[in-house]
PDB file of all heavy atoms in Angstrom:
ATOM      1  N   HIS O   1       0.836  -1.203   0.000  1.00  0.00           N
ATOM      2  CA  HIS O   1       0.000   0.000   0.000  1.00  0.00           C
ATOM      3  C   HIS O   1       0.877   1.261   0.000  1.00  0.00           C
ATOM      4  O   HIS O   1       0.602   2.224  -0.714  1.00  0.00           O
ATOM      5  CB  HIS O   1      -0.920  -0.037   1.219  1.00  0.00           C
ATOM      6  CG  HIS O   1      -2.142   0.794   1.082  1.00  0.00           C
ATOM      7  ND1 HIS O   1      -3.093   0.592   0.119  1.00  0.00           N
ATOM      8  CD2 HIS O   1      -2.568   1.863   1.805  1.00  0.00           C
ATOM      9  CE1 HIS O   1      -4.056   1.478   0.251  1.00  0.00           C
ATOM     10  NE2 HIS O   1      -3.759   2.273   1.263  1.00  0.00           N
ATOM     11  N   ALA O   2       1.949   1.244   0.779  1.00  0.00           N
ATOM     12  CA  ALA O   2       2.877   2.381   0.849  1.00  0.00           C
ATOM     13  C   ALA O   2       3.574   2.598  -0.487  1.00  0.00           C
ATOM     14  O   ALA O   2       3.669   3.739  -0.970  1.00  0.00           O
ATOM     15  CB  ALA O   2       3.902   2.159   1.955  1.00  0.00           C
ATOM     16  N   ILE O   3       4.053   1.521  -1.098  1.00  0.00           N
ATOM     17  CA  ILE O   3       4.752   1.629  -2.383  1.00  0.00           C
ATOM     18  C   ILE O   3       3.807   2.185  -3.443  1.00  0.00           C
ATOM     19  O   ILE O   3       4.175   3.061  -4.227  1.00  0.00           O
ATOM     20  CB  ILE O   3       5.344   0.265  -2.817  1.00  0.00           C
ATOM     21  CG1 ILE O   3       6.369  -0.236  -1.806  1.00  0.00           C
ATOM     22  CG2 ILE O   3       5.931   0.341  -4.220  1.00  0.00           C
ATOM     23  CD1 ILE O   3       7.555   0.665  -1.595  1.00  0.00           C
ATOM     24  N   GLU O   4       2.570   1.706  -3.459  1.00  0.00           N
ATOM     25  CA  GLU O   4       1.601   2.199  -4.433  1.00  0.00           C
ATOM     26  C   GLU O   4       1.351   3.702  -4.251  1.00  0.00           C
ATOM     27  O   GLU O   4       1.303   4.458  -5.220  1.00  0.00           O
ATOM     28  CB  GLU O   4       0.288   1.433  -4.300  1.00  0.00           C
ATOM     29  CG  GLU O   4      -0.742   1.855  -5.326  1.00  0.00           C
ATOM     30  CD  GLU O   4      -2.046   1.103  -5.202  1.00  0.00           C
ATOM     31  OE1 GLU O   4      -2.453   0.802  -4.065  1.00  0.00           O
ATOM     32  OE2 GLU O   4      -2.651   0.843  -6.244  1.00  0.00           O
ATOM     33  N   ALA O   5       1.230   4.163  -3.008  1.00  0.00           N
ATOM     34  CA  ALA O   5       1.002   5.588  -2.749  1.00  0.00           C
ATOM     35  C   ALA O   5       2.214   6.424  -3.146  1.00  0.00           C
ATOM     36  O   ALA O   5       2.069   7.509  -3.722  1.00  0.00           O
ATOM     37  CB  ALA O   5       0.663   5.797  -1.270  1.00  0.00           C
ATOM     38  N   LEU O   6       3.421   5.925  -2.862  1.00  0.00           N
ATOM     39  CA  LEU O   6       4.638   6.663  -3.226  1.00  0.00           C
ATOM     40  C   LEU O   6       4.814   6.745  -4.742  1.00  0.00           C
ATOM     41  O   LEU O   6       5.218   7.785  -5.266  1.00  0.00           O
ATOM     42  CB  LEU O   6       5.865   6.016  -2.574  1.00  0.00           C
ATOM     43  CG  LEU O   6       5.974   6.210  -1.058  1.00  0.00           C
ATOM     44  CD1 LEU O   6       7.087   5.328  -0.501  1.00  0.00           C
ATOM     45  CD2 LEU O   6       6.194   7.668  -0.705  1.00  0.00           C
ATOM     46  N   VAL O   7       4.525   5.658  -5.434  1.00  0.00           N
ATOM     47  CA  VAL O   7       4.627   5.671  -6.904  1.00  0.00           C
ATOM     48  C   VAL O   7       3.613   6.656  -7.484  1.00  0.00           C
ATOM     49  O   VAL O   7       3.941   7.440  -8.377  1.00  0.00           O
ATOM     50  CB  VAL O   7       4.444   4.249  -7.479  1.00  0.00           C
ATOM     51  CG1 VAL O   7       4.237   4.290  -8.983  1.00  0.00           C
ATOM     52  CG2 VAL O   7       5.641   3.378  -7.126  1.00  0.00           C
ATOM     53  N   ALA O   8       2.380   6.642  -6.968  1.00  0.00           N
ATOM     54  CA  ALA O   8       1.362   7.575  -7.446  1.00  0.00           C
ATOM     55  C   ALA O   8       1.800   9.022  -7.205  1.00  0.00           C
ATOM     56  O   ALA O   8       1.623   9.889  -8.066  1.00  0.00           O
ATOM     57  CB  ALA O   8       0.024   7.311  -6.757  1.00  0.00           C
ATOM     58  N   ALA O   9       2.412   9.284  -6.054  1.00  0.00           N
ATOM     59  CA  ALA O   9       2.885  10.640  -5.745  1.00  0.00           C
ATOM     60  C   ALA O   9       4.022  11.053  -6.672  1.00  0.00           C
ATOM     61  O   ALA O   9       4.063  12.194  -7.154  1.00  0.00           O
ATOM     62  CB  ALA O   9       3.335  10.717  -4.288  1.00  0.00           C
ATOM     63  N   ALA O  10       4.951  10.137  -6.934  1.00  0.00           N
ATOM     64  CA  ALA O  10       6.082  10.448  -7.814  1.00  0.00           C
ATOM     65  C   ALA O  10       5.606  10.717  -9.234  1.00  0.00           C
ATOM     66  O   ALA O  10       6.092  11.650  -9.895  1.00  0.00           O
ATOM     67  CB  ALA O  10       7.091   9.300  -7.791  1.00  0.00           C
ATOM     68  N   VAL O  11       4.647   9.953  -9.710  1.00  0.00           N
ATOM     69  CA  VAL O  11       4.091  10.167 -11.052  1.00  0.00           C
ATOM     70  C   VAL O  11       3.347  11.504 -11.103  1.00  0.00           C
ATOM     71  O   VAL O  11       3.488  12.277 -12.058  1.00  0.00           O
ATOM     72  CB  VAL O  11       3.174   8.993 -11.456  1.00  0.00           C
ATOM     73  CG1 VAL O  11       2.369   9.312 -12.706  1.00  0.00           C
ATOM     74  CG2 VAL O  11       3.994   7.724 -11.654  1.00  0.00           C
ATOM     75  N   ALA O  12       2.579  11.808 -10.055  1.00  0.00           N
ATOM     76  CA  ALA O  12       1.840  13.071 -10.012  1.00  0.00           C
ATOM     77  C   ALA O  12       2.797  14.268  -9.983  1.00  0.00           C
ATOM     78  O   ALA O  12       2.554  15.284 -10.641  1.00  0.00           O
ATOM     79  CB  ALA O  12       0.911  13.102  -8.801  1.00  0.00           C
ATOM     80  N   ALA O  13       3.897  14.140  -9.246  1.00  0.00           N
ATOM     81  CA  ALA O  13       4.885  15.228  -9.179  1.00  0.00           C
ATOM     82  C   ALA O  13       5.525  15.454 -10.537  1.00  0.00           C
ATOM     83  O   ALA O  13       5.692  16.594 -10.979  1.00  0.00           O
ATOM     84  CB  ALA O  13       5.943  14.910  -8.128  1.00  0.00           C
ATOM     85  N   ARG O  14       5.875  14.386 -11.218  1.00  0.00           N
ATOM     86  CA  ARG O  14       6.495  14.510 -12.546  1.00  0.00           C
ATOM     87  C   ARG O  14       5.511  15.143 -13.536  1.00  0.00           C
ATOM     88  O   ARG O  14       5.867  16.001 -14.334  1.00  0.00           O
ATOM     89  CB  ARG O  14       6.955  13.125 -13.025  1.00  0.00           C
ATOM     90  CG  ARG O  14       7.571  13.132 -14.388  1.00  0.00           C
ATOM     91  CD  ARG O  14       8.920  13.779 -14.377  1.00  0.00           C
ATOM     92  NE  ARG O  14       9.479  13.751 -15.727  1.00  0.00           N
ATOM     93  CZ  ARG O  14      10.560  14.353 -16.071  1.00  0.00           C
ATOM     94  NH1 ARG O  14      11.261  14.993 -15.185  1.00  0.00           N
ATOM     95  NH2 ARG O  14      10.987  14.300 -17.302  1.00  0.00           N
ATOM     96  N   ARG O  15       4.263  14.709 -13.461  1.00  0.00           N
ATOM     97  CA  ARG O  15       3.243  15.228 -14.366  1.00  0.00           C
ATOM     98  C   ARG O  15       2.983  16.713 -14.090  1.00  0.00           C
ATOM     99  O   ARG O  15       2.834  17.505 -15.012  1.00  0.00           O
ATOM    100  CB  ARG O  15       1.944  14.432 -14.172  1.00  0.00           C
ATOM    101  CG  ARG O  15       0.961  14.587 -15.292  1.00  0.00           C
ATOM    102  CD  ARG O  15      -0.282  13.732 -15.139  1.00  0.00           C
ATOM    103  NE  ARG O  15       0.033  12.358 -14.802  1.00  0.00           N
ATOM    104  CZ  ARG O  15      -0.611  11.653 -13.858  1.00  0.00           C
ATOM    105  NH1 ARG O  15      -1.581  12.183 -13.162  1.00  0.00           N
ATOM    106  NH2 ARG O  15      -0.280  10.413 -13.617  1.00  0.00           N
ATOM    107  N   ARG O  16       2.965  17.079 -12.827  1.00  0.00           N
ATOM    108  CA  ARG O  16       2.647  18.465 -12.454  1.00  0.00           C
ATOM    109  C   ARG O  16       3.790  19.429 -12.735  1.00  0.00           C
ATOM    110  O   ARG O  16       3.581  20.525 -13.236  1.00  0.00           O
ATOM    111  CB  ARG O  16       2.287  18.509 -10.970  1.00  0.00           C
ATOM    112  CG  ARG O  16       2.073  19.885 -10.409  1.00  0.00           C
ATOM    113  CD  ARG O  16       0.608  20.125 -10.141  1.00  0.00           C
ATOM    114  NE  ARG O  16       0.361  21.422  -9.579  1.00  0.00           N
ATOM    115  CZ  ARG O  16      -0.099  21.623  -8.362  1.00  0.00           C
ATOM    116  NH1 ARG O  16      -0.344  20.601  -7.581  1.00  0.00           N
ATOM    117  NH2 ARG O  16      -0.339  22.831  -7.947  1.00  0.00           N
ATOM    118  N   PHE O  17       5.014  19.033 -12.376  1.00  0.00           N
ATOM    119  CA  PHE O  17       6.134  19.961 -12.484  1.00  0.00           C
ATOM    120  C   PHE O  17       6.973  19.751 -13.741  1.00  0.00           C
ATOM    121  O   PHE O  17       7.644  20.675 -14.182  1.00  0.00           O
ATOM    122  CB  PHE O  17       7.030  19.871 -11.244  1.00  0.00           C
ATOM    123  CG  PHE O  17       6.281  20.182  -9.981  1.00  0.00           C
ATOM    124  CD1 PHE O  17       6.119  19.224  -9.004  1.00  0.00           C
ATOM    125  CD2 PHE O  17       5.727  21.430  -9.787  1.00  0.00           C
ATOM    126  CE1 PHE O  17       5.420  19.508  -7.842  1.00  0.00           C
ATOM    127  CE2 PHE O  17       5.030  21.731  -8.627  1.00  0.00           C
ATOM    128  CZ  PHE O  17       4.874  20.759  -7.654  1.00  0.00           C
ATOM    129  N   GLY O  18       6.985  18.531 -14.273  1.00  0.00           N
ATOM    130  CA  GLY O  18       7.667  18.269 -15.530  1.00  0.00           C
ATOM    131  C   GLY O  18       9.182  18.285 -15.484  1.00  0.00           C
ATOM    132  O   GLY O  18       9.830  18.232 -16.508  1.00  0.00           O
ATOM    133  N   HIS O  19       9.777  18.390 -14.313  1.00  0.00           N
ATOM    134  CA  HIS O  19      11.242  18.353 -14.221  1.00  0.00           C
ATOM    135  C   HIS O  19      11.634  17.509 -13.014  1.00  0.00           C
ATOM    136  O   HIS O  19      10.799  17.000 -12.302  1.00  0.00           O
ATOM    137  CB  HIS O  19      11.833  19.774 -14.114  1.00  0.00           C
ATOM    138  CG  HIS O  19      11.331  20.548 -12.939  1.00  0.00           C
ATOM    139  ND1 HIS O  19      11.825  20.388 -11.680  1.00  0.00           N
ATOM    140  CD2 HIS O  19      10.355  21.480 -12.846  1.00  0.00           C
ATOM    141  CE1 HIS O  19      11.197  21.197 -10.845  1.00  0.00           C
ATOM    142  NE2 HIS O  19      10.286  21.859 -11.542  1.00  0.00           N
ATOM    143  N   GLY O  20      12.916  17.360 -12.822  1.00  0.00           N
ATOM    144  CA  GLY O  20      13.408  16.496 -11.756  1.00  0.00           C
ATOM    145  C   GLY O  20      13.834  15.168 -12.346  1.00  0.00           C
ATOM    146  O   GLY O  20      13.868  14.984 -13.567  1.00  0.00           O
ATOM    147  N   PRO O  21      14.163  14.220 -11.495  1.00  0.00           N
ATOM    148  CA  PRO O  21      14.632  12.918 -11.991  1.00  0.00           C
ATOM    149  C   PRO O  21      13.572  12.227 -12.844  1.00  0.00           C
ATOM    150  O   PRO O  21      12.389  12.284 -12.545  1.00  0.00           O
ATOM    151  CB  PRO O  21      14.896  12.110 -10.716  1.00  0.00           C
ATOM    152  CG  PRO O  21      14.915  13.090  -9.607  1.00  0.00           C
ATOM    153  CD  PRO O  21      14.131  14.272 -10.041  1.00  0.00           C
ATOM    154  N   ARG O  22      14.006  11.582 -13.920  1.00  0.00           N
ATOM    155  CA  ARG O  22      13.082  10.854 -14.786  1.00  0.00           C
ATOM    156  C   ARG O  22      12.682   9.512 -14.180  1.00  0.00           C
ATOM    157  O   ARG O  22      11.568   9.065 -14.369  1.00  0.00           O
ATOM    158  CB  ARG O  22      13.709  10.624 -16.153  1.00  0.00           C
ATOM    159  CG  ARG O  22      13.887  11.880 -16.944  1.00  0.00           C
ATOM    160  CD  ARG O  22      14.099  11.564 -18.424  1.00  0.00           C
ATOM    161  NE  ARG O  22      14.352  12.767 -19.181  1.00  0.00           N
ATOM    162  CZ  ARG O  22      13.421  13.643 -19.528  1.00  0.00           C
ATOM    163  NH1 ARG O  22      12.186  13.454 -19.173  1.00  0.00           N
ATOM    164  NH2 ARG O  22      13.733  14.705 -20.220  1.00  0.00           N
ATOM    165  N   GLU O  23      13.599   8.878 -13.472  1.00  0.00           N
ATOM    166  CA  GLU O  23      13.320   7.564 -12.897  1.00  0.00           C
ATOM    167  C   GLU O  23      12.430   7.720 -11.668  1.00  0.00           C
ATOM    168  O   GLU O  23      12.490   8.708 -10.945  1.00  0.00           O
ATOM    169  CB  GLU O  23      14.620   6.845 -12.505  1.00  0.00           C
ATOM    170  CG  GLU O  23      15.534   6.554 -13.675  1.00  0.00           C
ATOM    171  CD  GLU O  23      16.404   7.750 -14.037  1.00  0.00           C
ATOM    172  OE1 GLU O  23      16.601   8.636 -13.173  1.00  0.00           O
ATOM    173  OE2 GLU O  23      16.869   7.815 -15.180  1.00  0.00           O
ATOM    174  N   ILE O  24      11.627   6.694 -11.415  1.00  0.00           N
ATOM    175  CA  ILE O  24      10.632   6.762 -10.344  1.00  0.00           C
ATOM    176  C   ILE O  24      11.261   6.732  -8.952  1.00  0.00           C
ATOM    177  O   ILE O  24      10.842   7.471  -8.064  1.00  0.00           O
ATOM    178  CB  ILE O  24       9.579   5.631 -10.517  1.00  0.00           C
ATOM    179  CG1 ILE O  24       8.343   5.933  -9.680  1.00  0.00           C
ATOM    180  CG2 ILE O  24      10.109   4.289 -10.120  1.00  0.00           C
ATOM    181  CD1 ILE O  24       7.312   6.660 -10.427  1.00  0.00           C
ATOM    182  N   TRP O  25      12.276   5.891  -8.726  1.00  0.00           N
ATOM    183  CA  TRP O  25      12.822   5.748  -7.373  1.00  0.00           C
ATOM    184  C   TRP O  25      13.578   6.982  -6.890  1.00  0.00           C
ATOM    185  O   TRP O  25      13.434   7.358  -5.719  1.00  0.00           O
ATOM    186  CB  TRP O  25      13.630   4.460  -7.247  1.00  0.00           C
ATOM    187  CG  TRP O  25      12.699   3.289  -7.236  1.00  0.00           C
ATOM    188  CD1 TRP O  25      12.457   2.422  -8.256  1.00  0.00           C
ATOM    189  CD2 TRP O  25      11.809   2.919  -6.175  1.00  0.00           C
ATOM    190  NE1 TRP O  25      11.479   1.528  -7.891  1.00  0.00           N
ATOM    191  CE2 TRP O  25      11.065   1.804  -6.623  1.00  0.00           C
ATOM    192  CE3 TRP O  25      11.561   3.415  -4.905  1.00  0.00           C
ATOM    193  CZ2 TRP O  25      10.106   1.186  -5.821  1.00  0.00           C
ATOM    194  CZ3 TRP O  25      10.607   2.794  -4.118  1.00  0.00           C
ATOM    195  CH2 TRP O  25       9.893   1.693  -4.582  1.00  0.00           C
ATOM    196  N   PRO O  26      14.347   7.668  -7.719  1.00  0.00           N
ATOM    197  CA  PRO O  26      14.918   8.932  -7.231  1.00  0.00           C
ATOM    198  C   PRO O  26      13.851   9.974  -6.883  1.00  0.00           C
ATOM    199  O   PRO O  26      14.007  10.734  -5.934  1.00  0.00           O
ATOM    200  CB  PRO O  26      15.798   9.400  -8.394  1.00  0.00           C
ATOM    201  CG  PRO O  26      16.213   8.131  -9.061  1.00  0.00           C
ATOM    202  CD  PRO O  26      14.989   7.246  -8.963  1.00  0.00           C
ATOM    203  N   ARG O  27      12.740   9.992  -7.634  1.00  0.00           N
ATOM    204  CA  ARG O  27      11.650  10.907  -7.279  1.00  0.00           C
ATOM    205  C   ARG O  27      11.055  10.535  -5.931  1.00  0.00           C
ATOM    206  O   ARG O  27      10.731  11.398  -5.120  1.00  0.00           O
ATOM    207  CB  ARG O  27      10.563  10.900  -8.362  1.00  0.00           C
ATOM    208  CG  ARG O  27      10.934  11.785  -9.523  1.00  0.00           C
ATOM    209  CD  ARG O  27       9.817  11.915 -10.516  1.00  0.00           C
ATOM    210  NE  ARG O  27      10.003  10.859 -11.499  1.00  0.00           N
ATOM    211  CZ  ARG O  27       9.033  10.225 -12.131  1.00  0.00           C
ATOM    212  NH1 ARG O  27       7.794  10.534 -11.901  1.00  0.00           N
ATOM    213  NH2 ARG O  27       9.305   9.288 -13.005  1.00  0.00           N
ATOM    214  N   ILE O  28      10.914   9.229  -5.685  1.00  0.00           N
ATOM    215  CA  ILE O  28      10.401   8.775  -4.388  1.00  0.00           C
ATOM    216  C   ILE O  28      11.384   9.131  -3.274  1.00  0.00           C
ATOM    217  O   ILE O  28      10.984   9.542  -2.183  1.00  0.00           O
ATOM    218  CB  ILE O  28      10.098   7.259  -4.427  1.00  0.00           C
ATOM    219  CG1 ILE O  28       8.866   7.011  -5.310  1.00  0.00           C
ATOM    220  CG2 ILE O  28       9.892   6.707  -3.025  1.00  0.00           C
ATOM    221  CD1 ILE O  28       8.565   5.561  -5.593  1.00  0.00           C
ATOM    222  N   ALA O  29      12.669   9.016  -3.558  1.00  0.00           N
ATOM    223  CA  ALA O  29      13.675   9.393  -2.550  1.00  0.00           C
ATOM    224  C   ALA O  29      13.554  10.874  -2.196  1.00  0.00           C
ATOM    225  O   ALA O  29      13.704  11.255  -1.029  1.00  0.00           O
ATOM    226  CB  ALA O  29      15.082   9.079  -3.054  1.00  0.00           C
ATOM    227  N   LEU O  30      13.263  11.723  -3.182  1.00  0.00           N
ATOM    228  CA  LEU O  30      13.065  13.140  -2.901  1.00  0.00           C
ATOM    229  C   LEU O  30      11.815  13.365  -2.054  1.00  0.00           C
ATOM    230  O   LEU O  30      11.828  14.158  -1.110  1.00  0.00           O
ATOM    231  CB  LEU O  30      12.965  13.944  -4.200  1.00  0.00           C
ATOM    232  CG  LEU O  30      14.262  14.132  -4.974  1.00  0.00           C
ATOM    233  CD1 LEU O  30      13.990  14.797  -6.320  1.00  0.00           C
ATOM    234  CD2 LEU O  30      15.264  14.941  -4.176  1.00  0.00           C
ATOM    235  N   LEU O  31      10.733  12.658  -2.384  1.00  0.00           N
ATOM    236  CA  LEU O  31       9.490  12.801  -1.616  1.00  0.00           C
ATOM    237  C   LEU O  31       9.674  12.390  -0.153  1.00  0.00           C
ATOM    238  O   LEU O  31       9.128  13.011   0.744  1.00  0.00           O
ATOM    239  CB  LEU O  31       8.378  11.947  -2.231  1.00  0.00           C
ATOM    240  CG  LEU O  31       7.707  12.482  -3.477  1.00  0.00           C
ATOM    241  CD1 LEU O  31       6.826  11.417  -4.109  1.00  0.00           C
ATOM    242  CD2 LEU O  31       6.884  13.717  -3.147  1.00  0.00           C
ATOM    243  N   THR O  32      10.443  11.336   0.064  1.00  0.00           N
ATOM    244  CA  THR O  32      10.643  10.822   1.424  1.00  0.00           C
ATOM    245  C   THR O  32      11.859  11.442   2.102  1.00  0.00           C
ATOM    246  O   THR O  32      12.209  11.051   3.208  1.00  0.00           O
ATOM    247  CB  THR O  32      10.796   9.291   1.415  1.00  0.00           C
ATOM    248  OG1 THR O  32      11.944   8.936   0.649  1.00  0.00           O
ATOM    249  CG2 THR O  32       9.556   8.614   0.869  1.00  0.00           C
ATOM    250  N   ARG O  33      12.511  12.376   1.398  1.00  0.00           N
ATOM    251  CA  ARG O  33      13.724  13.030   1.902  1.00  0.00           C
ATOM    252  C   ARG O  33      14.822  12.027   2.232  1.00  0.00           C
ATOM    253  O   ARG O  33      15.530  12.157   3.222  1.00  0.00           O
ATOM    254  CB  ARG O  33      13.408  13.909   3.106  1.00  0.00           C
ATOM    255  CG  ARG O  33      12.492  15.042   2.756  1.00  0.00           C
ATOM    256  CD  ARG O  33      12.260  15.938   3.903  1.00  0.00           C
ATOM    257  NE  ARG O  33      11.419  17.040   3.455  1.00  0.00           N
ATOM    258  CZ  ARG O  33      11.106  18.046   4.207  1.00  0.00           C
ATOM    259  NH1 ARG O  33      11.568  18.117   5.430  1.00  0.00           N
ATOM    260  NH2 ARG O  33      10.346  18.995   3.743  1.00  0.00           N
TER     261      ARG O  33
END
């Protein structure tokens, strides 16, 4: 459940801002600091 929520957040962040890491896990690392 946690992984699904983090992936959804990382995809939403990429879609909204359009910049940052292209790969999903570095985006998740940024979200979780």
Side-chain angles (χ1 to χ4, degrees):
H1 203 61
I3 299 300
E4 183 180 36
L6 289 170
V7 167
V11 168
R14 178 71 180 172
R15 197 176 312 136
R16 174 108 179 246
F17 301 116
H19 59 81
R22 292 198 183 284
E23 297 83 21
I24 197 93
W25 288 104
R27 279 187 269 147
I28 289 172
L30 287 173
L31 282 169
T32 62
R33 296 184 177 185

